[in-house]
Amino acid sequence: MSGEPVPGGPGKGGTADGGSGGTAGGVENGSELSSLLRELAAAHETPAPVSGAEIRGRAVRRGCRRRATAAASGATGAAALALALTLAFTGAPDGRHGHGQHGHTAADRPAASTSATPSSPAAGRGVPVARVDLARRVLTVAGRTLPISSGAERTPTPTGRMTVIAKYEITVVPGTRTGSGTHGLKAPWVIELRAPGDRTGYILALTHDEKAPGARDRTGGWIGLRTRDAKWLYQRLAPGAAVEVEGSAPDAGRSADAGSAPASPAPGSPGPESP
Amino acid sequence: MDEEEFDAFYAAAFPRLTGQLYAFTGDHGEAQDVVQEAFVRAWDHRRDFLADGSPEAWIRTVAMRLAVSRWRRARRWLELVRRDPPQDHVPGPGPDRTALVAALRTLPETQRMAIVLHHLCDLTIEQVASETGAPVGTVKARLSRGRAALARRLGETDGLGEREDGRVR
């Protein structure tokens, strides 16, 4: 993949634009192609038409202040079966917008890095971090620990990087499509998440089963909290917050209705090990 | 990255990236648009963007994805309007389209992306694979098919086209 031009480079003429002539044979040779492409790209470099300040202004005006947490990557350490949910709060609780898809086309983490990290992200920046460990079924937010319940076997909770796109004081949440025979659920304090691939996740108050959070994973794919916890979280989580969901539920390998509560649902205690 | 650093990075990287995106899209205005949009998103997501290691690669990836989705939208729209679906990869009209660009635009976008990333942007085959979510073997196949197709196209125009100072019309 080296880019050194080879002898007998871009045929006759060989202008940056049109140097392709007489090189058909050489194109199958990668370096020849590289030098042609380089010339082409170089000929079409364009100075930035607007200032950097203008670019930043557009980003700000768009109002989607999604502050990804630097800590997201550190959340995995625990175990393969831990579901780490990292929530970043935006500063503004009033950020209202419904454009989940915008954020994700852009945020679908580019993987390749061709050079070393130029600088590390400014640590902290006053962003509170919340974390859900599904093996223990707890959500740690701003120093508080809340028990949670997630998707049962047939209705696993979606995973991946998500963004809070909307909040509802009360709404009907559709059943997940992954499960069979799912049904909707009317719930208060609903936080809607958009995941890559247009999947949707929900954090909500599990009013019909206040004892499930911390004890069992038996929701239709959403992340259920006790009602007062859900309300508390609802008030603190703003649209635009980034959410990282990983792993699978401890109960995911069991029947949805097994109802096998772990010995101790207390926050902080180790949860049941999955097979 | 503070505001000054971002502005400096933007000024330095914008020209290079538009050149690369031109090779990918074959359309100058489009290349500028998607790169600019990618920078807007970069500032919006500057944490992700920095955590990712290479800011320039991040921008390029976002810009390429934007270009791909715009291209698909435009094609779907054309299909709706014209009823008869257009052939895939019809080169759009463009005053400064050159033989190489025209040839590139005849490639399926997966091949085109592999070619541009590997041969222009200097990503290794493994990096192209992780960037595009395809297995390494697939990337190799795309590269070799893409190169062969380009060579064929350029060979044809050599035989058919009028050549003046290296340009093929």
Side-chain angles (χ1 to χ4, degrees):
Chain A
M1 68 170 255
S2 85
E4 295 118 23
V6 296
K12 4 166 187 173
T15 64
D17 279 355
S20 48
T23 57
V27 164
E28 291 215 58
N29 162 343
S31 352
E32 174 73 14
L33 179 57
S34 287
S35 66
L36 283 174
L37 283 168
R38 263 176 240 285
E39 287 171 7
L40 178 71
H44 286 86
E45 288 190 1
T46 317
V50 301
S51 70
E54 167 66 19
I55 293 288
R56 285 185 280 107
R58 285 184 203 180
V60 171
R61 278 196 296 281
R62 215 171 261 180
C64 23
R65 284 148 293 191
R66 230 176 313 275
R67 304 266 160 84
T69 63
S73 49
T76 53
L81 291 169
L83 168 119
L85 167 60
T86 306
L87 308 167
F89 292 77
T90 63
D94 60 334
R96 285 202 61 75
H97 45 67
H99 61 283
Q101 138 247 46
H102 150 69
H104 276 294
T105 47
D108 288 351
R109 318 194 50 77
S113 306
T114 51
S115 66
T117 309
S119 66
S120 61
R125 222 185 257 274
V127 179
V129 171
R131 183 175 295 180
V132 168
D133 182 338
L134 196 65
R136 295 189 299 137
R137 300 193 185 91
V138 292
L139 164 62
T140 316
V141 186
R144 282 192 63 184
T145 302
L146 316 174
I148 60 116
S149 176
S150 73
E153 181 189 11
R154 278 170 298 181
T155 55
T157 300
T159 57
R161 189 177 181 78
M162 306 189 189
T163 304
V164 174
I165 58 166
K167 303 198 295 182
Y168 308 94
E169 290 199 0
I170 188 160
T171 191
V172 175
V173 173
T176 53
R177 293 202 182 103
T178 47
S180 55
T182 57
H183 52 278
L185 173 72
K186 188 171 184 180
W189 313 120
V190 176
I191 296 166
E192 185 175 356
L193 306 166
R194 177 64 41 83
D198 261 359
R199 290 170 305 139
T200 306
Y202 295 95
I203 300 174
L204 46 70
L206 218 54
T207 51
H208 66 282
D209 192 348
E210 294 274 343
K211 289 182 180 156
R216 294 182 295 280
D217 296 314
R218 53 185 312 172
T219 76
W222 37 82
I223 294 169
L225 297 170
R226 294 182 304 205
T227 305
R228 61 191 156 92
D229 294 337
K231 181 179 181 183
W232 182 83
L233 186 66
Y234 179 93
Q235 288 162 347
R236 277 157 186 80
L237 206 55
V243 172
E244 187 105 27
V245 181
E246 295 174 308
S248 59
D251 275 1
R254 307 173 195 180
S255 152
D257 283 321
S260 49
S264 163
S269 70
E273 295 300 325
S274 253
Chain B
M1 185 178 278
D2 64 19
E3 300 181 353
E4 264 177 48
E5 288 165 337
F6 178 84
D7 291 359
F9 166 66
Y10 166 76
F14 189 94
R16 196 161 43 236
L17 287 161
T18 48
Q20 293 172 353
L21 265 290
Y22 175 77
F24 182 60
T25 64
D27 182 309
H28 204 210
E30 183 79 356
Q32 287 191 53
D33 279 0
V34 293
V35 172
Q36 197 163 306
E37 174 63 19
F39 272 102
V40 171
R41 293 185 182 193
W43 183 252
D44 195 19
H45 295 272
R46 53 192 177 279
R47 258 171 194 292
D48 274 357
F49 158 68
L50 289 171
D52 222 70
S54 168
E56 192 162 333
W58 193 98
I59 302 262
R60 187 173 57 233
T61 302
V62 170
M64 281 191 167
R65 287 178 188 170
L66 285 168
V68 167
S69 66
R70 284 183 180 199
W71 171 242
R72 286 186 186 146
R73 261 202 305 278
R75 207 168 58 196
R76 209 157 8 187
W77 182 81
L78 267 180
E79 282 165 19
L80 287 175
V81 169
R82 302 185 355 188
R83 283 295 167 182
D84 56 329
Q87 305 158 263
D88 270 4
H89 323 298
V90 189
D96 61 349
R97 207 169 69 239
T98 62
L100 177 57
V101 172
L104 276 168
R105 297 202 71 179
T106 62
L107 298 185
E109 75 199 13
T110 52
Q111 288 178 18
R112 188 159 19 114
M113 190 181 283
I115 295 256
V116 168
L117 287 175
H118 184 62
H119 291 294
L120 175 60
C121 305
D122 286 338
L123 268 60
T124 64
I125 286 176
E126 289 72 24
Q127 285 170 329
V128 176
S130 83
E131 182 101 345
T132 54
V136 165
T138 307
V139 172
K140 286 181 181 165
R142 284 174 184 167
L143 285 171
S144 80
R145 286 194 197 122
R147 280 195 301 260
L150 284 179
R152 215 158 42 235
R153 292 281 306 183
L154 297 173
E156 278 167 21
T157 51
D158 259 2
L160 302 172
E162 288 286 318
R163 292 182 39 74
E164 286 289 335
D165 61 21
R167 286 176 184 273
V168 177
R169 293 285 165 191

